Amino acid sequence: MRRASIAFGLALAGLLAGCGKPPAPAPQATVSIRDLMLTMVDPSADALWASVGSTVSAKGSVDLQPRTEAEWQAVRAEATLLTEAPVLLSAPGRQVALPGQKTGDADVPGIQAPAVIQAQIEADRPKFEGLALGLQTAGRKALAAADAKDPVALLEAGAALDEACEACHHTYWYPLTPKPKVPRGQS
């Protein structure tokens, strides 16, 4: 009986000693929003937009859309990245750009510097997270379209993706450039 009590006491002491250890550190954001845009969001959005539509040439028009299981799976993979990228983009501590990084179009009038964008995000974080949610919503639409193998829904998801991207870019990246005017009757 005494051995069981000692064993129980040692086991309890071991458990309690483990409770005092600090938790392992959580992963930290290490690449910039700029890096995520260049390596994940832009390529995935471009692939999604290129996967469906129409082209017109002297030989006539051709409807583009995924047709094989492999093509639909490729679209699904891009939609998956677009659905999850907003989680990465809005991670706490994520910087717009790392020290020394500039946007590729930094010399274009109306393009804001990363430090200015960072200050705007920090001043109204919920707004940035709401815009990231718009991207995620568009990604989910693309994901649902890929799962349904529905080219019309994929085209609509592409339009929603464009709207989500432009909403964020006009807010942070190039807010000083005028929005293109849509001719009357076309919206």
Side-chain angles (χ1 to χ4, degrees):
M1 181 82 156
R2 182 162 158 74
R3 280 190 202 177
S5 295
I6 292 172
F8 177 75
L10 290 173
L12 183 60
L15 284 173
L16 292 175
C19 292
K21 291 183 182 177
Q28 299 295 310
T30 57
V31 299
S32 66
I33 289 174
R34 176 189 172 274
D35 293 329
L36 292 173
M37 293 298 298
L38 290 172
T39 62
M40 288 179 65
V41 178
D42 289 350
S44 291
D46 289 343
L48 192 140
W49 287 322
S51 71
V52 65
S54 297
T55 60
V56 178
S57 69
K59 295 180 180 181
S61 67
V62 176
D63 288 332
L64 303 171
Q65 70 180 60
R67 299 186 191 283
T68 66
E69 184 63 28
E71 290 171 338
W72 280 110
Q73 286 304 313
V75 167
R76 190 179 198 289
E78 303 299 351
T80 299
L81 284 171
L82 291 169
T83 301
E84 288 303 311
V87 176
L88 296 174
L89 291 168
S90 59
R94 177 87 57 213
Q95 296 296 303
V96 169
L98 299 178
Q101 283 184 331
K102 295 180 183 178
T103 59
D105 53 1
D107 58 333
V108 175
I111 301 296
Q112 297 202 110
V116 172
I117 298 169
Q118 188 74 47
Q120 289 175 320
I121 290 171
E122 289 172 8
D124 192 351
R125 186 99 186 137
K127 182 176 188 174
F128 178 70
E129 290 171 354
L131 291 166
L133 183 59
L135 174 60
Q136 188 173 61
T137 300
R140 285 181 179 153
K141 287 179 182 180
L143 194 56
D147 287 343
K149 296 179 177 55
D150 184 342
V152 172
L154 185 57
L155 190 62
E156 292 168 356
L161 175 61
D162 183 58
E163 288 176 21
C165 292
E166 286 301 311
C168 191
H169 295 170
H170 274 291
T171 300
Y172 297 109
W173 186 13
Y174 45 79
L176 306 176
T177 60
K179 291 183 180 182
K181 294 187 180 187
V182 177
R184 286 183 168 244
Q186 297 180 15
S187 56

